[in-house]
């Protein structure tokens, strides 16, 4: 409730404001709450009473969001005298589950509704176990993206499996979308209340409904106004700089991504429909026919009564190679998922680039048998005509944000991982941020593959970019990567960290981000004369504090 003075001021502002100003204020307040909710709005129980039960928090994560939620939950429990512990699902022995009293799961969903890699074995072991979980109470929080067909599917499957094994559902399954801060806060609040009274009112009669907070994604209609290849002639890569404009004001921040739903090529869906003696090929238009997963291919093996050896393949390639029996096209469609959105890190700043959105897109090419194939989304954007309508949305990423203007930052972004750091530098340039900026960039060849070289050199000249270290792997006999440059600059790198710098990594998860992380750990251990285990803990603490952020894929 507002005080009379504040209420009077608010009423005066609202009465004198235009409709546009009120709409803008609503958006501003929503954004402010989203940024600060987890930090400031997690409930603290007045005069908390220490409880006997000790919740176990198990998290399954691919990008780190579930781990962050679990760490936040653990910290808030301790504030309220609830002694809990958190563990990575990969490290948890399924045989110990029946000995637990209260288990809270934070589980993300990947790809086609799949578990994160570190949680696959746990789920399979859970399904196979004969353990009696009747003395175990649980709650599941699923993290996902409602743009995808199987939203929070890993959480759904886990919730069902635990119930099948006799465990007691403490709270209904909760599905959290990309902007999960508010959902997590509500879930924590409910957990705090239930745990304080644990043992007196636990029941298995809670209906297995799910709580979903709307994502609030806005679809934009724009056009590609400019598109160029950033590589020079002779490069092994084909990386596009793409500029998108819209009549609507596009709201985004550095660190956000742009989402598109690519379209199938007409000749491909027509060829598939024709093979199955169907003229209406349009029914395949929004189905994912490329890059089918092992799970999908196993389903097609059964349908076609053949053995498909590939781990991943396009449906049309399967047809050409195996010439399967001709079933009804409806049976094929039943096994296909809708095309999922593809996300691309935004490489522009709305402040510096007049509201445009820029992308840095590598045309994903790979060899299958003797042919060269391209990724659906990257090919869709590479071939998309200039000035034709393109539908897209902005994917907010609150876990990849610039720090305060006076904080130094270290950016590690080989290849198209440079994208968000171009956004960061452009933003810091236009706002006059005082923090120092150090960029590590790598690619194959200096002459052919130095993306945004002119801009980067200009930022060096003007002082926006304090330090630049590059690693062009194939310009010498021994391949050199960004992690090698980090090791070479160990003393200075560690000095920046000790002085409060934030670290950012963007690009391929495997093996790049893992190799870079190993290099950072080695540098911390070497320069501080501590063990690697201690160095890993320091890096983990930085991650929990939001000073080590990753956008990897």
């Amino acid at each position: 409730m507002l005080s009379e003075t504040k209420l009077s001021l608010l009423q005066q502002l609202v009465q004198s404001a235009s409709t546009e100003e009120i709409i803008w204020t609503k958006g501003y307040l929503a954004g402010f709450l989203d940024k600060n909710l987890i930090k400031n709005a997690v409930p603290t129980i007045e005069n908390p009473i220490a409880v006997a039960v000790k919740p176990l928090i198990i998290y399954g994560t691919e990008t780190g969001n579930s781990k962050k939620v679990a760490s936040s939950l653990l910290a808030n429990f301790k504030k309220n005298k609830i002694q809990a512990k958190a563990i990575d699902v990969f490290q948890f022995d399924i045989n110990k589950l029946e000995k637990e009293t209260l288990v809270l799961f934070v589980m993300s969903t990947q790809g086609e509704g799949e578990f994160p890699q570190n949680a696959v074995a746990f789920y399979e072991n859970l399904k196979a176990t004969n353990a009696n979980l009747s003395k175990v109470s649980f709650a599941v929080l699923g993290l996902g993206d409602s743009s995808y067909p199987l939203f929070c599917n890993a959480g759904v499957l886990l919730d069902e499996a635990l119930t099948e094994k006799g465990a007691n559902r403490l709270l209904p399954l909760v599905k959290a979308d990309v902007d999960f801060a508010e959902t997590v806060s509500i879930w924590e609040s409910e957990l705090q209340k239930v745990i304080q009274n644990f043992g007196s009112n636990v029941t298995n009669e809670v209906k297995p409904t799910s709580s979903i907070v709307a994502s609030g994604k806005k679809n934009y209609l724009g056009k590609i106004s400019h598109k160029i290849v950033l590589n020079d002639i002779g490069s092994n890569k084909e990386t596009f700089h793409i500029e998108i404009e819209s009549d609507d004001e596009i709201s985004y921040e550095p660190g956000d991504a742009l989402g598109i739903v690519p379209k199938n090529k007409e000749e491909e869906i027509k060829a598939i429909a024709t093979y199955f003696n169907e003229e209406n090929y349009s029914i395949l238009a929004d189905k994912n026919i490329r890059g089918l997963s092992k799970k999908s291919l196993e389903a097609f093996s059964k349908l076609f009564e053949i053995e498909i050896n590939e781990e991943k393949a396009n449906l049309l390639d399967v047809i050409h190679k195996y010439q399967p029996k001709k079933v009804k096209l409806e049976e094929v469609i039943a096994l296909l998922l809708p095309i999922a959105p593809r996300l691309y890190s935004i490489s522009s700043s709305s402040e510096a680039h007049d509201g445009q959105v820029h992308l840095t897109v590598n045309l994903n090419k790979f060899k299958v048998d003797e042919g060269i194939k391209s990724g659906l989304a990257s090919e869709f954007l590479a071939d998309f005509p200039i000035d034709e309508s393109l539908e897209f949305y902005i994917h907010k990423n609150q876990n990849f944000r610039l720090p305060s203007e006076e904080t130094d930052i270290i950016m590690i972004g080989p290849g198209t991982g440079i994208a968000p750091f171009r956004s960061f530098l452009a933003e810091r340039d236009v706002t006059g941020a005082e923090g120092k900026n150090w960029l590590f960039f790598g690619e194959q060849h200096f002459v052919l593959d130095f993306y945004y070289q002119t801009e980067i050199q200009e930022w060096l000249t003007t002082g926006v970019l304090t330090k630049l270290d590059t690693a062009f792997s194939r310009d010498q006999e021994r391949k050199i990567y960004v992690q090698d440059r980090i090791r070479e600059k160990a003393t200075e790198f560690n000095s920046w960290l000790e002085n409060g710098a934030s670290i950012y990594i963007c690009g391929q998860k495997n093996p790049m981000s893992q190799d870079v992380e190993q290099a950072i750990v080695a540098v911390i251990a070497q320069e501080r004369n501590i063990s690697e285990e201690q160095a890993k803990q320091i890096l983990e603490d930085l991650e929990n504090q939001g000073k080590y952020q990753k956008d990897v894929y």
Side-chain angles (χ1 to χ4, degrees):
M1 179 66 72
L2 293 174
S3 67
E4 288 187 10
T5 304
K6 288 181 179 178
L7 181 60
S8 176
L9 285 171
L10 179 61
Q11 289 172 337
Q12 292 175 39
L13 283 170
V14 171
Q15 289 169 1
S16 62
S18 65
T19 302
E20 290 77 10
E21 287 171 333
I22 291 174
I23 293 171
W24 181 90
T25 303
K26 179 183 177 183
Y28 173 81
L29 290 172
F32 179 83
L33 282 172
D34 188 52
K35 284 184 178 180
N36 293 281
L37 207 45
I38 282 185
K39 288 183 181 178
N40 302 324
V42 173
T44 300
I45 298 170
E46 292 184 15
N47 302 317
I49 301 171
V51 295
V53 66
K54 296 180 180 179
L56 173 65
I57 307 164
I58 299 178
Y59 59 87
T61 187
E62 193 82 19
T63 61
N65 284 342
S66 292
K67 182 180 179 180
K68 290 173 185 174
V69 171
S71 298
S72 172
L73 184 61
L74 181 65
N76 290 320
F77 274 163
K78 289 182 177 179
K79 288 179 186 176
N80 288 316
K81 294 186 179 181
I82 299 172
Q83 296 305 309
K85 59 181 178 179
I87 188 171
D88 187 317
V89 66
F90 182 74
Q91 298 173 325
F92 185 74
D93 184 354
I94 190 69
N95 295 318
K96 296 180 180 179
L97 187 57
E98 63 181 333
K99 297 177 183 178
E100 296 293 334
T101 305
L102 175 56
V103 187
L104 309 174
F105 291 91
V106 184
M107 189 63 62
S108 64
T109 295
Q110 307 301 316
E112 296 180 359
E114 298 156 359
F115 281 85
Q117 195 61 42
N118 70 334
V120 172
F122 175 86
Y123 176 68
E124 291 176 349
N125 291 335
L126 175 63
K127 293 286 286 183
T129 186
N130 292 320
N132 181 359
L133 304 183
S134 60
K135 294 182 180 180
V136 180
S137 294
F138 76 93
V140 177
L141 171 72
L143 297 186
D145 184 340
S146 61
S147 301
Y148 288 77
L150 296 172
F151 175 46
C152 288
N153 189 59
V156 172
L157 294 176
L158 178 60
D159 186 86
E160 291 174 350
L162 289 164
T163 306
E164 288 170 4
K165 298 298 178 181
N168 304 291
R169 188 183 285 106
L170 188 68
L171 287 175
L173 164 69
V174 172
K175 297 179 180 181
D177 207 347
V178 175
D179 297 328
F180 53 74
E182 184 178 356
T183 314
V184 171
S185 180
I186 295 169
W187 190 62
E188 286 194 28
S189 178
E190 292 301 310
L191 284 172
Q192 302 270 14
K193 295 173 187 174
V194 173
I195 292 172
Q196 288 290 336
N197 299 302
F198 188 79
S200 59
N201 64 345
V202 176
T203 176
N204 198 31
E205 296 178 359
V206 180
K207 292 182 180 180
T209 55
S210 61
S211 170
I212 305 173
V213 174
S215 64
K217 291 188 183 76
K218 175 183 177 180
N219 286 331
Y220 294 91
L221 198 62
K223 62 181 181 181
I224 294 177
S225 58
H226 184 61
K227 179 167 55 178
I228 60 167
V229 175
L230 294 171
N231 312 88
D232 211 335
I233 297 172
S235 173
N236 297 317
K237 304 286 186 77
E238 193 172 359
T239 303
F240 290 82
H241 170 77
I242 297 172
E243 298 181 2
I244 299 171
E245 296 179 354
S246 174
D247 290 336
D248 294 332
E249 183 178 346
I250 308 170
S251 176
Y252 70 91
E253 298 176 68
D256 287 341
L258 180 140
I260 62 158
V261 180
K263 305 294 183 185
N264 285 319
K265 286 194 169 184
E266 185 175 323
E267 58 266 30
E268 290 184 10
I269 57 176
K270 189 173 183 179
I272 293 170
T274 300
Y275 182 83
F276 294 106
N277 302 317
E278 174 64 56
E279 292 182 4
N280 181 21
Y281 58 84
S282 63
I283 56 178
L284 284 163
D286 64 347
K287 297 297 181 181
N288 182 43
I289 59 172
R290 286 206 193 181
L292 301 182
S293 66
K294 183 180 179 180
K295 183 178 177 182
S296 292
L297 292 174
E298 287 173 353
F300 277 112
S301 291
K302 293 178 182 177
L303 176 65
F304 295 150
E305 297 178 1
I306 57 175
E307 184 178 345
I308 300 173
N309 299 317
E310 285 78 8
E311 294 280 321
K312 195 172 186 179
N314 297 344
L315 179 56
L316 191 57
D317 292 335
V318 169
I319 291 170
H320 287 158
K321 182 175 180 177
Y322 295 97
Q323 294 293 302
K325 71 171 186 176
K326 295 186 177 182
V327 299
K328 291 182 179 180
L329 186 59
E330 287 77 8
E331 295 178 85
V332 174
I333 290 173
L335 298 181
L336 294 172
L337 293 171
I339 295 173
R342 301 321 199 252
L343 298 176
Y344 291 94
S345 298
I346 293 172
S347 55
S348 56
S349 158
S350 59
E351 295 292 325
H353 296 101
D354 298 324
Q356 292 182 334
V357 183
H358 298 177
L359 305 179
T360 309
V361 178
N362 176 54
L363 180 57
N364 181 23
K365 295 181 180 179
F366 50 93
K367 194 173 183 180
V368 176
D369 294 329
E370 297 303 315
I372 301 296
K373 303 294 180 181
S374 298
L376 174 62
S378 60
E379 185 179 46
F380 174 76
L381 286 173
D383 293 344
F384 201 88
I386 298 293
D387 290 338
E388 282 198 15
S389 293
L390 173 70
E391 191 172 350
F392 62 93
Y393 67 92
I394 299 300
H395 173 96
K396 294 292 182 180
N397 189 354
Q398 302 297 351
N399 297 302
F400 203 75
R401 287 283 185 256
L402 277 166
S404 59
E405 292 190 350
E406 67 277 4
T407 301
D408 301 338
I409 60 174
I410 300 172
M411 301 163 284
I412 305 160
T416 53
I418 187 66
F421 302 137
R422 179 178 183 259
S423 173
F424 279 18
L425 289 167
E427 181 81 6
R428 285 200 140 190
D429 186 10
V430 76
T431 59
E434 296 179 0
K436 294 187 295 183
N437 308 299
W438 187 353
L439 174 65
F440 288 86
F441 172 73
E443 250 297 358
Q444 291 188 352
H445 299 284
F446 172 85
V447 174
L448 305 177
D449 307 310
F450 195 166
Y451 309 148
Y452 304 115
Q453 181 182 358
T454 302
E455 286 180 320
I456 288 171
Q457 289 178 333
E458 185 176 336
W459 281 323
L460 270 174
T461 301
T462 60
V464 173
L465 186 56
T466 313
K467 284 183 65 65
L468 171 67
D469 280 282
T470 58
F472 294 97
S473 60
R474 302 189 185 181
D475 278 350
Q476 59 285 310
E477 187 174 346
R478 181 179 72 87
K479 290 183 179 179
I480 298 174
Y481 300 104
V482 287
Q483 59 265 30
D484 299 312
R485 298 303 189 203
I486 291 170
R487 286 188 171 94
E488 290 171 4
K489 299 297 175 71
T491 301
E492 191 168 6
F493 193 98
N494 179 62
S495 176
W496 276 53
L497 293 188
E498 290 186 320
N499 289 326
S502 293
I503 315 172
Y504 297 85
I505 300 176
C506 183
Q508 291 291 329
K509 180 179 181 181
N510 297 317
M512 184 280 293
S513 71
Q514 295 176 347
D515 292 342
V516 166
E517 188 163 299
Q518 288 173 2
I520 295 172
V521 167
V523 164
I524 294 173
Q526 170 190 312
E527 294 301 311
R528 303 187 191 185
N529 195 25
I530 58 177
S531 69
E532 288 212 348
E533 284 303 313
Q534 290 173 308
K536 285 179 182 177
Q537 187 58 53
I538 288 172
L539 194 59
E540 187 170 323
D541 291 343
L542 289 174
E543 187 172 9
N544 291 335
Q545 296 162 19
K547 294 185 70 64
Y548 173 40
Q549 300 183 28
K550 293 176 284 189
D551 180 10
V552 295
Y553 36 83

